[in-house]
Amino acid sequence: MITRNEIVSAHKRICTLATSKNLKEALELLETLVRQASLGEYRDRLTEFNETYKNILLYTVRGINDPQRARVYQHLLKSVLMLTDEVKETLLEQSGIQIYRFKKNVIRLPERLQKLIPELLDHHQSNAEVSDLLGDIPVATDDPDVHESLVLEELFRNLWLKDKFTGPDCSSIMALINEPECPWYNKSVVVSGITMGLMHCFDEAKLQLLLDIYDTEIMQVSERALLGAIVSMYLYDNRLSLYPAVAARLKTYSDNSLMAEDFLTVTKQLTRARDTEKISKRLREEIMPDILKLQSKLEDKLDLNNIISDQEATDKNPDWQSFLEDSPELMGKLEELSRLQLEGTDVFMTTFAMLKHFPFFNEIHNWFLPFFGNHPEVARALRAEDEKFSSVFTEALASSTYICNSDKYSFCLNVEALPENQKEMLLTMFNAELESMNEVGSEDEILNKSLKHYSVFTQYIQDMYRFFKLHPLHSEFDDLFDNMFDFHNKWFFKQLVNPDDMLQKSGNFYFENNHFDEALEVFTLLAADGRADAELFQKTGYCHQKNDDYTKALEFYLKSELFESGRTWLTKKIAYCYTRTGNFKKALEYYREAEMAEPSNINLQISIANCFLHMKDFKSALNYYYKVELQSPGNSKVLRPIAWCLFVNGKFAEAESYYNRLAENETPNRYDFMNIGHLKWCSGSKEEAINMYVNSIRETDNSRESFLKAFEDDTEYLLRNGIDPDDIPIMLDYLKYALHE
């Protein structure tokens, strides 16, 4: 039997072929799926599609002018995509996937909604009425709260698992959304059900419905509707242009500043969601344990890159954004955690991942349920606590913008298991949180509303992230967060918002958050549209630099120089890229120019010295390394290149002094042993030289082959300092014997 992954993969492939107008290949692949489904209706429709397409091709080849051809072709594409969707659903149902067991119970939605909607407004009915309403769903109690939860769960599943909505479906749902007596949190669950259904199977009616709900501007509800619409349009972007009504609808928002602001917020938070695992790993390994493991990098045998921090080479231009002025290395870990929280980064995924085992999360809709303090499960979890604790705790938790709804429920449900002293700490913490929220609430009302608006998107995305990553059946869903969310490459992006303005803002966001691949794509699009300025070229160059493409980085830095010559930051970047491409002469020119602007910059002194070293101007290199030693007497790493330059210049006693000082401060590496061996040999101490060479070869990160290659590179300096060329092969052969003793 064909597996779920094979079904999903084939479905995506057919949709891609069809929307890229490789229709013949799409129909052939669809035929293989239709045979798997074993339904005659599908075979008949596929035969009809093939005949229609053959006629289109025949008329076109014969040059027959058919004014309806474009319309017929577009209708055919839509029909092929719809059949592909249906076949996929049939095959998934046949595969025995667990969620499709629920789908068998989905009945005609309008009639069901007529019964379910009133139940969400007034759930106090007898147990018999509840049983009649919910059919096969077991009801163990006449508790009205249990009743409401069961109703909501069934409604959610109906909305999720019904593939296509009719006009009456949409009317019934909008009636519920506009019903004042229906709590906002129940409406939010309804929106989530529609969203999950739309992500699962494309339906123009569902997409239009989500946009209708967004237009209601009901706080907490409209934000969720927009997010559902945006992620769905992202998933189905390649087919949206086939629906003129959708295109027309999107155009109505193109000059809407609120839509643009909301779209940018969604873009930012979905991008941050993709970083959740990376952030969680960092929290586990660095921030939370307060441990930073430093690993030395051996870039070359003199370890030149470690003499100074590489901050100078990779820092961002301080003129771009104010928060880029501070180096991340200078931020305390607690400050970083606070910053991540303020930006809406998901820092609690790891903390709460293990707290999704409560029965509360057995009902799928609860993963999407907004937190409210009087939820029955919350009241049950806090029933043993005094009223003051429960009131302050739930109020502060509901007000918190840093914890998503799913985690808030986990938090409450876990309170029962906490020791009393931890509960006291919680009360103190949330008292402070409540006071902070009240302070914000007493400030600018417009600003406060904007923050709440932003937090709805943030928390809802984090709720969805937990569902797709942690739900026991998550392997049966296509993980939304496996997508790149490269909205700038999508057709609907240009219809929904002003692309020029949004490209600039999204590109800057990607750049500021170190998503350099995405930033580079956006900056390339901006350049293709004719924008040319120093900042764009600088940022484009920086993206290439972060991707280790120093040639391209240099190209854009030099373009920027045409607009902003004399800028020290840019001058240093150009110099750095020249070093990475091996052009040390040009690098030196730019470093010397930067030195005039920053004569006391020790990083520049090191960079200039390194250039001289690579150019084999050891005397000039030594002068600069001495400057560094004088300005930074505690920098032991500078001792290594000084010792090497002294050796090359034949100053053996001074070189030995520096190697001795280096050994007092650092454990010698494989190159140190070899270089000291050179020094000893040239000084006439062959036995000591042999010991040093053997130590070098036996270092864990070395090998005989690596040693011989490095030794060969140094031959010219041995000859320069008096070693007989005939003695070199003898020394190497002797070492080979010595290694076997």
Side-chain angles (χ1 to χ4, degrees):
M1 178 180 291
I2 187 170
T3 66
R4 177 196 178 277
N5 289 341
E6 290 172 335
I7 296 168
V8 171
S9 177
H11 173 265
K12 289 180 179 178
R13 176 64 178 157
I14 295 169
C15 291
T16 299
L17 288 169
T19 53
S20 61
K21 299 186 178 180
N22 293 310
L23 195 51
K24 178 65 167 64
E25 191 176 348
L27 290 169
E28 289 174 350
L29 185 54
L30 178 56
E31 186 176 0
T32 64
L33 284 190
V34 167
R35 285 198 299 269
Q36 291 281 348
S38 300
L39 286 179
E41 177 201 350
Y42 293 159
R43 287 194 295 272
D44 293 342
R45 288 164 64 184
L46 183 59
T47 299
E48 179 185 340
F49 296 160
N50 272 299
E51 290 301 316
T52 300
Y53 191 45
K54 287 178 183 178
N55 288 333
I56 292 175
L57 296 177
L58 183 61
Y59 288 179
T60 302
V61 170
R62 290 181 177 178
I64 299 174
N65 184 22
D66 183 359
Q68 298 298 316
R69 187 183 66 183
R71 184 184 64 81
V72 172
Y73 182 75
Q74 183 166 323
H75 179 74
L76 177 60
L77 284 179
K78 289 168 61 176
S79 299
V80 169
L81 291 169
M82 290 174 64
L83 178 58
T84 304
D85 292 343
E86 291 178 42
V87 173
K88 180 197 77 169
E89 288 302 299
T90 297
L91 290 173
L92 288 175
E93 287 182 45
Q94 295 174 355
S95 69
I97 294 176
Q98 188 167 338
I99 61 170
Y100 281 88
R101 299 173 190 172
F102 304 141
K103 191 169 185 177
K104 294 177 182 178
N105 296 322
V106 174
I107 62 173
R108 288 179 298 174
L109 192 55
E111 291 82 350
R112 199 60 165 168
L113 282 172
Q114 294 304 316
K115 293 183 178 180
L116 292 175
I117 288 177
E119 294 303 299
L120 295 179
L121 309 181
D122 181 11
H123 58 226
H124 297 280
Q125 294 191 19
S126 69
N127 191 51
E129 290 172 308
V130 173
S131 180
D132 178 66
L133 175 69
L134 299 181
D136 296 332
I137 298 179
V139 179
T141 176
D142 59 0
D143 186 328
D145 294 321
V146 174
H147 168 209
E148 179 177 5
S149 181
L150 291 170
V151 170
L152 199 57
E153 176 73 3
E154 194 208 2
L155 179 58
F156 179 87
R157 289 181 179 176
N158 273 271
L159 296 170
W160 171 23
L161 297 173
K162 183 172 183 183
D163 297 334
K164 305 292 181 183
F165 280 5
T166 64
D169 295 337
C170 297
S171 297
S172 299
I173 293 167
M174 282 306 298
L176 175 61
I177 296 298
N178 290 316
E179 173 54 59
E181 293 184 33
C182 183
W184 65 271
Y185 43 83
N186 284 347
K187 295 178 183 179
S188 297
V189 171
V190 168
V191 169
S192 294
I194 300 169
T195 297
M196 287 294 293
L198 180 54
M199 287 193 293
H200 182 71
C201 185
F202 178 76
D203 180 20
E204 181 186 8
K206 291 178 186 175
L207 177 57
Q208 295 279 16
L209 180 59
L210 287 174
L211 293 174
D212 288 340
I213 297 173
Y214 171 69
D215 289 340
T216 63
E217 298 185 6
I218 301 173
M219 187 67 180
Q220 293 272 4
V221 180
S222 62
E223 291 93 337
R224 286 172 165 79
L226 179 62
L227 176 64
I230 289 174
V231 297
S232 298
M233 287 189 287
Y234 177 88
L235 296 175
Y236 300 111
D237 179 75
N238 56 3
R239 67 170 77 182
L240 291 179
S241 61
L242 300 175
Y243 296 85
V246 171
R249 179 73 178 271
L250 297 183
K251 282 292 185 183
T252 64
Y253 295 109
S254 59
D255 295 324
N256 186 319
S257 59
L258 179 60
M259 168 62 83
E261 182 180 338
D262 289 345
F263 185 89
L264 185 60
T265 297
V266 170
T267 300
K268 290 179 177 180
Q269 295 313 104
L270 286 172
T271 301
R272 288 194 172 106
R274 286 173 46 215
D275 292 337
T276 298
E277 182 52 39
K278 180 173 66 176
I279 294 297
S280 296
K281 181 179 180 181
R282 191 171 182 195
L283 286 168
R284 290 193 304 268
E285 297 179 359
E286 298 179 24
I287 298 177
M288 299 307 291
D290 199 26
I291 296 175
L292 181 62
K293 298 179 180 178
L294 298 176
Q295 298 179 346
S296 61
K297 299 178 180 178
L298 302 176
E299 297 293 341
D300 52 45
K301 75 172 190 175
L302 296 181
D303 207 9
L304 298 177
N305 293 333
N306 277 336
I307 299 174
I308 56 172
S309 166
D310 61 0
Q311 173 69 23
E312 185 75 15
T314 59
D315 64 323
K316 297 177 183 176
N317 190 335
D319 296 334
W320 289 330
Q321 294 291 342
S322 60
F323 72 83
L324 294 178
E325 294 173 0
D326 297 327
S327 169
E329 286 78 9
L330 300 179
M331 298 178 65
K333 291 186 177 65
L334 292 178
E335 290 178 325
E336 176 143 5
L337 181 60
S338 177
R339 178 180 64 81
L340 292 171
Q341 286 179 315
L342 289 172
E343 291 176 351
T345 302
D346 191 348
V347 299
F348 293 120
M349 175 68 176
T350 300
T351 305
F352 290 99
M354 303 305 294
L355 295 178
K356 304 301 178 187
H357 61 277
F358 299 103
F360 174 83
F361 293 106
N362 291 341
E363 297 180 11
I364 294 180
H365 79 277
N366 282 336
W367 290 77
F368 304 96
L369 183 66
F371 181 84
F372 56 101
N374 61 342
H375 188 282
E377 287 296 315
V378 173
R380 183 197 60 76
L382 301 178
R383 64 184 180 276
E385 312 304 327
D386 63 58
E387 186 175 343
K388 178 183 178 183
F389 176 90
S390 299
S391 176
V392 172
F393 180 68
T394 55
E395 185 178 353
L397 197 57
S399 302
S400 175
T401 58
Y402 302 136
I403 306 177
C404 70
N405 300 283
S406 177
D407 289 351
K408 289 176 181 180
Y409 282 115
S410 294
F411 206 162
C412 284
L413 297 173
N414 194 51
V415 164
E416 288 182 289
L418 293 178
E420 287 301 320
N421 62 331
Q422 290 190 24
K423 291 179 184 178
E424 287 298 323
M425 290 175 59
L426 275 180
L427 182 59
T428 302
M429 180 182 71
F430 277 100
N431 260 319
E433 176 78 2
L434 185 58
E435 290 176 8
S436 175
M437 290 299 104
N438 289 335
E439 287 178 9
V440 173
S442 63
E443 294 172 0
D444 190 336
E445 183 178 349
I446 296 177
L447 177 61
N448 190 29
K449 183 178 180 181
S450 177
L451 290 173
K452 289 181 179 178
H453 191 64
Y454 186 90
S455 69
V456 174
F457 287 117
T458 300
Q459 293 180 3
Y460 187 38
I461 289 172
Q462 292 176 6
D463 289 335
M464 295 182 77
Y465 189 90
R466 279 147 182 72
F467 175 78
F468 281 104
K469 299 296 184 181
L470 301 177
H471 191 278
L473 300 180
H474 72 271
S475 62
E476 296 188 1
F477 315 126
D478 289 334
D479 189 344
L480 174 65
F481 296 94
D482 283 345
N483 292 286
M484 289 296 296
F485 299 123
D486 53 333
F487 293 104
H488 51 276
N489 289 324
K490 299 302 179 180
W491 173 85
F492 86 92
F493 171 84
K494 299 179 180 64
Q495 319 302 314
L496 187 63
V497 293
N498 183 319
D500 295 334
D501 182 55
M502 191 58 62
L503 278 174
Q504 179 67 47
K505 291 178 179 178
S506 59
N508 287 339
F509 171 78
Y510 288 136
F511 183 84
E512 291 155 7
N513 287 272
N514 299 330
H515 287 268
F516 296 112
D517 289 335
E518 292 90 335
L520 186 56
E521 287 186 7
V522 173
F523 294 152
T524 302
L525 290 173
L526 287 170
D529 286 341
R531 180 182 163 183
D533 59 59
E535 182 178 319
L536 178 62
F537 290 143
Q538 285 179 27
K539 290 183 175 180
T540 304
Y542 190 83
C543 290
H544 283 299
Q545 179 184 329
K546 295 300 290 185
N547 288 334
D548 297 329
D549 189 344
Y550 299 101
T551 301
K552 291 294 291 185
L554 189 58
E555 174 188 334
F556 282 93
Y557 285 147
L558 291 174
K559 286 182 179 180
S560 178
E561 190 184 27
L562 297 175
F563 292 85
E564 286 191 341
S565 60
R567 296 296 296 272
T568 305
W569 178 92
L570 180 60
T571 301
K572 289 186 288 186
K573 286 292 176 291
I574 293 173
Y576 176 74
C577 288
Y578 272 128
T579 66
R580 300 298 292 186
T581 56
N583 192 338
F584 296 102
K585 183 178 180 180
K586 290 294 293 184
L588 183 60
E589 290 179 16
Y590 278 90
Y591 277 132
R592 295 295 289 270
E593 181 183 336
E595 183 189 19
M596 289 189 290
E598 299 178 3
S600 60
N601 188 327
I602 192 172
N603 292 344
L604 283 174
Q605 306 298 316
I606 285 290
S607 297
I608 292 171
N610 291 348
C611 284
F612 279 125
L613 186 68
H614 284 290
M615 295 167 65
K616 300 184 179 181
D617 184 348
F618 299 104
K619 183 177 179 180
S620 297
L622 191 57
N623 289 333
Y624 272 92
Y625 286 133
Y626 278 148
K627 289 183 182 180
V628 174
E629 183 188 20
L630 183 64
Q631 295 179 48
S632 180
N635 188 346
S636 62
K637 293 184 181 297
V638 77
L639 302 177
R640 184 175 284 112
I642 290 177
W644 174 255
C645 289
L646 288 169
F647 161 71
V648 171
N649 287 329
K651 299 180 179 181
F652 301 149
E654 293 176 60
E656 185 170 6
S657 173
Y658 272 92
Y659 276 124
N660 289 337
R661 288 172 57 189
L662 179 65
E664 292 172 1
N665 291 277
E666 293 191 18
T667 302
N669 62 37
R670 56 176 175 161
Y671 294 117
D672 293 333
F673 284 123
M674 184 173 67
N675 293 339
I676 295 171
H678 294 338
L679 176 62
K680 294 295 183 180
W681 191 9
C682 293
S683 300
S685 302
K686 286 186 179 181
E687 289 188 6
E688 291 185 71
I690 290 169
N691 289 334
M692 290 297 105
Y693 289 148
V694 170
N695 287 339
S696 175
I697 297 172
R698 287 176 173 169
E699 281 290 292
T700 56
D701 61 343
N702 207 359
S703 66
R704 189 172 71 173
E705 291 72 21
S706 297
F707 174 85
L708 292 174
K709 176 64 174 65
F711 194 100
E712 181 183 351
D713 293 339
D714 291 348
T715 299
E716 63 174 296
Y717 305 114
L718 295 173
L719 299 176
R720 177 174 174 173
N721 282 290
I723 299 299
D724 188 328
D726 293 334
D727 287 349
I728 292 177
I730 294 174
M731 172 65 80
L732 293 177
D733 278 346
Y734 184 87
L735 289 173
K736 294 173 185 177
Y737 280 106
L739 288 172
H740 290 291
E741 292 180 355

